[in-house]
Amino acid sequence: MKVCILSGGTGAPKLIQGLKEILPEEDISVIVNTGEDTMVGDLYLSPDVDTVLYTLSNQINEDTWYGVKGDTFITHNTIKEFENKENNTFGENLRIGDKDRALKMHKTHYINKGYPLSKIIKMEKELFGIKANIFPMTDDIVRTKILINENNNKYLIDFHDFWINRRGNATVVDIFYENSNYAGAPSKTIECIKNSDIIIIGPSNPITSIAPILSIKDIKDTIIESNKPVVAVSPIIGDGAVSGPAGILMKAKGYPVSAGGVYNFYNDLGININTMILDNIDKSRIEKTKLELNNSNIIYTNTIMKTIEDKINLAKSVLGSI
Amino acid sequence: MKVCILSGGTGAPKLIQGLKEILPEEDISVIVNTGEDTMVGDLYLSPDVDTVLYTLSNQINEDTWYGVKGDTFITHNTIKEFENKENNTFGENLRIGDKDRALKMHKTHYINKGYPLSKIIKMEKELFGIKANIFPMTDDIVRTKILINENNNKYLIDFHDFWINRRGNATVVDIFYENSNYAGAPSKTIECIKNSDIIIIGPSNPITSIAPILSIKDIKDTIIESNKPVVAVSPIIGDGAVSGPAGILMKAKGYPVSAGGVYNFYNDLGININTMILDNIDKSRIEKTKLELNNSNIIYTNTIMKTIEDKINLAKSVLGSI
């Protein structure tokens, strides 16, 4: 079975680990959010892409779902020392490990040379011996921006400013995907949707991981027109997100923080979800959820992926749903 | 006594270590060769400047006179792994340590921001708590180029290509300091010459370390016009260089590989050397040397600086010579 999974940086990669155990790796295609791509100092960062690369090459640091496990931070710590002494910054506001830095430098070098991101990712997946396909949502520059309210003024800030610098402490008014109206998807990204037997929306943040991907018209239209079964795993359990800022962003978009809210958010974007995979915990509000999901197909299972068995079981539930 | 020393990357820094032990650090000014500055991948490298910075902050790796002692090479080795797998290079043809990389990134960031190198060096010496003054020979782009003969064709190549990639294996025809005719010296570089009691030409490579500095007209003219005593330590002992490619480059310039050759090379540039410091070994050819040096003032001492005592003794000989 050929699967195409839309992925952000934490929930979906865990599910990918499960899929990798039960499917031939070549049959897995991942379309990755690049809306959080940014410059950190002089380095080009594609955080979700790198997490998927490290996940599929068994290098991911599973404590943070960012960077390489067991990495050291000698360069970063020295930079921080300099910045503290100078009471100034030359931009490394994110911890970059010494091994991880090589991948960031590789990407930066070829981005500066004008290579499309999709080509660089292909080089990097081959570097790591990854057989699965990894495609960026776009080779264009689409960036997730957060509109916040501060002292009765509205400010449009980068996602990194919101999530890293401010640690999510802001009154969010709205979220935009800058430039998405002009952006296209690489042809391979579109092909992978058309050639798949199932489209999986991973349990990543609907607003900042999945919606940026769907903000690319070519991708959304292809998913709708191809009429493939779409299965979504809810990243929200009960009334809270498993990780990250999904809750406060769902609220800002006017949706309840619940699996039903997630379903309706995708539905309002025009995506027909065939099956929603919810956590067993949500059984306690089964009647309410059914109502929210218009009696769509719901599967209850354990969606909190702590062990590899959890991941495999969830992957089996997803594939078994169609 | 205020000293101003012209420095490259190996011999002169050793002498600076000796001077630092016997003079107040504030009284030491170093004018550093920047003719070997280059891009290594996407990083700006100022090799001699960094060696002087690390020397004066007691961080220098004295095995290589390059980088930080005890440094690790995690990022570099990962990059090399990538390059080998891709059978391609994204440019790190020099080993850069993880701690050292932070300094390179600092310099690159501010160079790209348009800061003059002299300002960046001042920031970096303050970062390291260095009280001595460190000035680049120029804030302009002056680069040492090597003209080589290969299969009866002449090629003009970078010093790094000659020395790092080819390990000095080339038939050298001539050496040029590209752009030196247009370059000026920072005002502080000139002031430090005027305010010194002695100009020391360190035992660095005359052709690729000292001559680039003297290729800046402002510097050479100020040394000549200020009429300060100039003391040079010969980097050539007997008929061989202590380290590096001085020998083959001296020959290419038409000078004998000897202390007399060094003296005459500086003399032909218009610099009046008051005292040459030669190694004891050269006493065996004392009559010949006297002739080569036109009976100038010669001091014989141990110039091979292995221990800190060697360095202090040589520094004392230099200061005692005027």
Side-chain angles (χ1 to χ4, degrees):
Chain A
M1 193 191 298
K2 293 201 171 184
V3 308
C4 174
I5 177 166
L6 313 192
S7 180
T10 310
K14 289 184 191 172
L15 179 56
I16 291 169
Q17 289 179 318
L19 290 166
K20 194 170 165 254
E21 295 299 316
I22 58 174
L23 286 175
E25 213 186 303
E26 310 81 83
D27 290 349
I28 302 170
S29 294
V30 189
I31 300 179
V32 190
N33 170 40
T34 60
E36 292 168 25
D37 285 19
T38 187
M39 295 302 293
V40 169
D42 298 315
L43 289 177
Y44 182 90
L45 230 82
S46 191
D48 290 352
V49 166
D50 284 3
T51 292
V52 169
L53 282 165
Y54 287 138
T55 298
L56 279 163
S57 57
N58 304 317
Q59 298 182 79
I60 189 74
N61 174 353
E62 294 194 36
D63 294 329
T64 54
W65 286 89
Y66 174 80
V68 176
K69 62 186 162 196
D71 210 352
T72 53
F73 293 86
I74 297 166
T75 304
H76 177 78
N77 292 340
T78 309
I79 290 170
K80 282 292 142 196
E81 213 180 274
F82 290 175
E83 289 183 344
N84 289 336
K85 280 189 191 163
E86 285 185 341
N87 198 18
N88 196 355
T89 174
F90 55 107
E92 193 144 306
N93 63 348
L94 239 169
R95 291 180 85 225
I96 296 176
D98 296 315
K99 208 167 157 56
D100 187 22
R101 187 176 302 279
L103 183 65
K104 268 63 174 164
M105 288 174 68
H106 185 270
K107 231 181 235 88
T108 306
H109 181 78
Y110 288 105
I111 283 281
N112 288 343
K113 259 189 132 171
Y115 282 40
L117 187 59
S118 53
K119 183 173 174 176
I120 302 170
I121 293 171
K122 187 166 186 292
M123 291 164 74
E124 292 174 347
K125 98 177 180 85
E126 282 166 9
L127 265 181
F128 289 160
I130 295 170
K131 290 185 198 126
N133 303 298
I134 307 172
F135 305 111
M137 65 190 204
T138 182
D139 281 328
D140 297 320
I141 297 170
V142 171
R143 296 291 174 262
T144 299
K145 303 280 174 169
I146 314 287
L147 185 69
I148 63 169
N149 191 322
E150 209 166 68
N151 305 321
N152 288 320
N153 287 309
K154 284 182 182 169
Y155 298 105
L156 189 68
I157 64 173
D158 283 344
F159 177 76
H160 272 254
D161 187 359
F162 165 70
W163 188 236
I164 307 296
N165 301 348
R166 296 167 189 254
R167 295 172 189 280
N169 294 317
T171 308
V172 178
V173 180
D174 209 343
I175 298 95
F176 303 105
Y177 313 108
E178 186 184 1
N179 201 42
S180 68
N181 48 326
Y182 297 113
S187 58
K188 297 259 184 191
T189 305
I190 296 302
E191 274 170 40
C192 102
I193 298 169
K194 289 185 180 165
N195 297 335
S196 292
D197 299 305
I198 179 174
I199 311 294
I200 304 170
I201 299 183
S204 290
N205 186 325
I207 313 291
T208 55
S209 296
I210 305 299
I213 302 175
L214 296 173
S215 80
I216 311 296
K217 195 172 177 298
D218 290 348
I219 295 181
K220 194 169 82 172
D221 288 353
T222 307
I223 292 175
I224 293 170
E225 288 158 18
S226 68
N227 220 11
K228 307 278 180 183
V230 179
V231 180
V233 180
S234 175
I236 293 178
I237 295 178
D239 52 9
V242 177
S243 70
I248 108 171
L249 299 176
M250 287 288 288
K251 268 188 215 157
K253 276 287 183 192
Y255 289 88
V257 183
S258 67
V262 173
Y263 173 88
N264 280 296
F265 176 70
Y266 291 139
N267 204 54
D268 290 348
L269 289 176
I271 303 294
N272 178 30
I273 307 280
N274 297 75
T275 304
M276 281 290 291
I277 313 254
L278 272 55
D279 194 78
N280 287 324
I281 290 172
D282 278 295
K283 276 186 186 163
S284 63
R285 57 197 296 286
I286 197 161
E287 289 309 319
K288 197 175 173 204
T289 306
K290 270 188 188 168
L291 208 68
E292 288 172 337
L293 268 65
N294 289 322
N295 287 310
S296 283
N297 193 17
I298 303 175
I299 293 175
Y300 293 96
T301 185
N302 170 34
T303 66
I304 302 176
M305 294 171 279
K306 287 189 178 158
T307 65
I308 185 65
E309 287 74 29
D310 293 341
K311 293 164 188 171
I312 292 172
N313 286 335
L314 183 57
K316 284 181 179 165
S317 296
V318 169
L319 300 188
S321 71
I322 60 162
Chain B
M1 193 193 298
K2 294 200 170 182
V3 309
C4 173
I5 177 166
L6 313 192
S7 180
T10 310
K14 290 184 191 171
L15 179 56
I16 291 169
Q17 290 180 318
L19 290 166
K20 193 170 164 252
E21 296 298 315
I22 58 174
L23 285 175
E25 212 185 303
E26 310 80 83
D27 290 348
I28 302 170
S29 294
V30 189
I31 300 179
V32 190
N33 170 41
T34 60
E36 292 169 26
D37 286 20
T38 187
M39 294 304 291
V40 169
D42 298 315
L43 289 176
Y44 182 89
L45 228 83
S46 191
D48 290 353
V49 166
D50 284 3
T51 292
V52 170
L53 282 165
Y54 287 137
T55 298
L56 280 162
S57 56
N58 304 317
Q59 297 182 80
I60 189 74
N61 174 354
E62 294 194 36
D63 294 329
T64 55
W65 286 90
Y66 175 80
V68 176
K69 61 185 162 197
D71 209 351
T72 53
F73 293 86
I74 297 167
T75 303
H76 177 79
N77 291 341
T78 310
I79 289 170
K80 282 291 141 194
E81 213 180 277
F82 290 176
E83 289 182 345
N84 289 338
K85 281 190 191 163
E86 286 186 342
N87 198 16
N88 196 354
T89 174
F90 56 108
E92 194 145 305
N93 63 347
L94 238 168
R95 290 181 84 224
I96 296 176
D98 296 315
K99 207 166 157 59
D100 187 21
R101 188 176 301 280
L103 184 66
K104 268 62 173 165
M105 288 174 67
H106 185 270
K107 231 180 235 89
T108 306
H109 182 78
Y110 287 106
I111 284 280
N112 287 344
K113 260 189 131 172
Y115 282 40
L117 186 60
S118 54
K119 183 173 175 176
I120 301 170
I121 293 171
K122 187 166 186 291
M123 290 164 76
E124 292 174 346
K125 97 177 182 90
E126 283 166 7
L127 265 181
F128 289 160
I130 296 170
K131 290 187 197 121
N133 304 297
I134 307 171
F135 305 111
M137 66 190 203
T138 183
D139 281 328
D140 297 320
I141 297 170
V142 172
R143 296 291 173 262
T144 298
K145 303 279 174 171
I146 314 288
L147 185 69
I148 64 168
N149 191 322
E150 211 166 67
N151 304 321
N152 288 320
N153 287 309
K154 283 182 184 171
Y155 299 105
L156 190 67
I157 64 173
D158 283 345
F159 177 76
H160 272 254
D161 186 359
F162 165 70
W163 188 236
I164 307 295
N165 301 349
R166 295 167 190 255
R167 295 174 190 279
N169 294 317
T171 308
V172 177
V173 180
D174 209 343
I175 299 98
F176 303 105
Y177 314 107
E178 187 184 1
N179 200 42
S180 68
N181 48 325
Y182 297 113
S187 57
K188 297 260 183 192
T189 304
I190 296 301
E191 274 170 38
C192 104
I193 298 170
K194 290 185 179 166
N195 296 335
S196 292
D197 299 307
I198 179 174
I199 312 294
I200 304 169
I201 299 182
S204 291
N205 186 324
I207 314 289
T208 55
S209 297
I210 305 300
I213 303 176
L214 297 172
S215 80
I216 312 295
K217 193 172 179 297
D218 290 350
I219 294 180
K220 194 170 79 172
D221 288 353
T222 307
I223 292 174
I224 293 169
E225 287 158 18
S226 68
N227 221 10
K228 308 279 181 184
V230 179
V231 180
V233 181
S234 175
I236 294 178
I237 295 180
D239 51 11
V242 177
S243 69
I248 110 171
L249 299 176
M250 287 287 287
K251 267 187 217 157
K253 277 286 184 193
Y255 289 88
V257 184
S258 67
V262 174
Y263 172 88
N264 280 295
F265 176 70
Y266 292 138
N267 204 52
D268 290 348
L269 289 176
I271 304 294
N272 179 29
I273 307 279
N274 298 75
T275 304
M276 281 290 291
I277 312 255
L278 272 54
D279 194 78
N280 286 326
I281 290 172
D282 278 295
K283 275 187 186 164
S284 63
R285 56 198 296 287
I286 196 160
E287 288 309 317
K288 195 178 174 200
T289 307
K290 269 187 187 169
L291 210 67
E292 288 173 336
L293 268 65
N294 290 322
N295 286 309
S296 282
N297 193 17
I298 303 175
I299 292 175
Y300 292 97
T301 185
N302 170 35
T303 65
I304 303 176
M305 294 171 280
K306 287 190 177 156
T307 66
I308 184 65
E309 288 73 29
D310 293 342
K311 293 164 188 170
I312 292 172
N313 286 335
L314 183 57
K316 283 181 180 165
S317 296
V318 169
L319 300 187
S321 71
I322 62 161

